[in-house]
Amino acid sequence: MLTHADNELLCRVGPATPMGDYFRRFWLPACLPDEVTLDGPPIRIRILGEDLLAFRTSDGTVGLVGDHCPHRGASLFFGRNEEGGLRCVYHGWKFDTSGACVDMPNEPAESDFRTKVKAVAYPCQEWGGLLWTYMGPSHLAPQLPQLEWARVPADHRRLGRWIHQASWLQVLEGDIDSSHSMFLHRALDPDLQQRSRRFGVLNDRAPRLSVQPTDYGFVYGGRYRTVDEGIFNWRLTQWMLPSHTMIASKQFPVGGRVYVPVDDEHVNIFNYRYHPERPLSDQELAFIETPLGSPRRERSTLTLADGRRVDTWRLLANRDNDYLIDRDRQRTGNYTGILGIQEQDKAMTESMGSIVNRSQEHLGTSDVAIIAARRRLLRAVRDLQQGLEPAIAAMGDAYRVRSFDVLTSAEDLQEVVAKHQADLVAIA
Ligand code: FES
Ligand SMILES: [Fe+2]
């Protein structure tokens, strides 16, 4: 459990909040690059409680600017994307991707007022098949995390983004909570069970879980009994600050997610699956397109609680339709009656409420990684409040790690990590 104050500290991410400041020390994915087209309409994105617009100019440069025109606050979403900038349709002021006002047609030609006005704008970079932004102080520009999935050629990976209607932390906590897989994601019919094994779903329902801290976050190990006495199946998942995960998998393609808070009560999920050595095969891509491989989703404009709208991707199974739960399927098909791993996760994490009340929890031994992550985040956020910058933000190469799944006689996590050090290092 967490005190109410600590829970608030971790979940409030808007401007000038401690956790929001911490996130603003890292490069964060904003959207998929092909969501913004040459001279096409801007798309509305909210990141860390700030309403922003992404747009691509005629020469391919991407801009991420504040939604409100600095003149009198009209939304630049209605603006014209023309020749290297976004022009507000209220009085015609035009801003380039750096936020500079490059035209102010309703002011006298001799006025230099234009040079004194700047729109909110954040730097953008295309990296690893995503569009990233950095929203922190410019003198502290961090390094891009050298994640293996981001370093491989484009045809070695498949990416997707969608929104969950809950706090970033409770959604991320699902990835470092290995024991839920044996329940939430369990298949009942033999055909589904067969396919679920691709996710490494095993039958030991009470694995021994442990955490080994690292510079970048931690390695989290689940030790599962096997039919062979003295041989364990160790599943090692990576958590990288502030909100990257890589899930243990028996073989490539391996998957994971990046969680980017939209605001206190929504999170953008960037999902990846990749192979380090070769393009994804037709068979792997076909599987990724099935409901078990990726959630069925649609491009959608969502109206948030304060009336603002964001352009995103929404799962077809969502809160409004009870995640398409099918009680017959729940009797004979799978544990939940909900189709799809991501949909099952979404149902649970959203059902906790927008920000779960962690002062009411009862955490057990299976929650060891969640406890460790919260402690680490609290420490990092408090350090930053004291003026200690996160060193990891400037250590892009520290992110070159892998998750891992192995059969071994090693009894504890330290031993597995020591024995398989090479398998936990990215090669790409
Ligand atoms: S409000 Fe945008 S130009 Fe006036
Ligand atoms: Fe899950």
Side-chain angles (χ1 to χ4, degrees), residues 411-422:
E411 301 226 346
D412 61 51
L413 180 59
Q414 264 180 325
E415 198 184 334
V416 188
V417 170
K419 214 163 144 184
H420 294 278
Q421 197 68 51

Side-chain angles (χ1 to χ4, degrees), residues 163-202:
I163 195 166
H164 274 208
Q165 293 167 272
S167 155
W168 75 277
L169 184 59
Q170 74 202 49
V171 184
L172 178 143
E173 284 177 350
D175 279 5
I176 49 172
D177 160 28
S178 153
S179 77
H180 82 262
S181 301
M182 268 56 72
F183 303 92
L184 184 69
H185 302 316
R186 193 164 144 214
L188 301 179
D189 83 44
D191 181 43
L192 274 176
Q193 269 178 353
Q194 183 64 26
R195 283 193 278 165
S196 291
R197 282 199 190 97
R198 301 177 71 140
F199 292 99
V201 176
L202 302 173

Side-chain angles (χ1 to χ4, degrees), residues 41 63 224 287 305 321 331:
Y224 297 80
F287 173 75
N321 54 28
R331 270 187 285 278

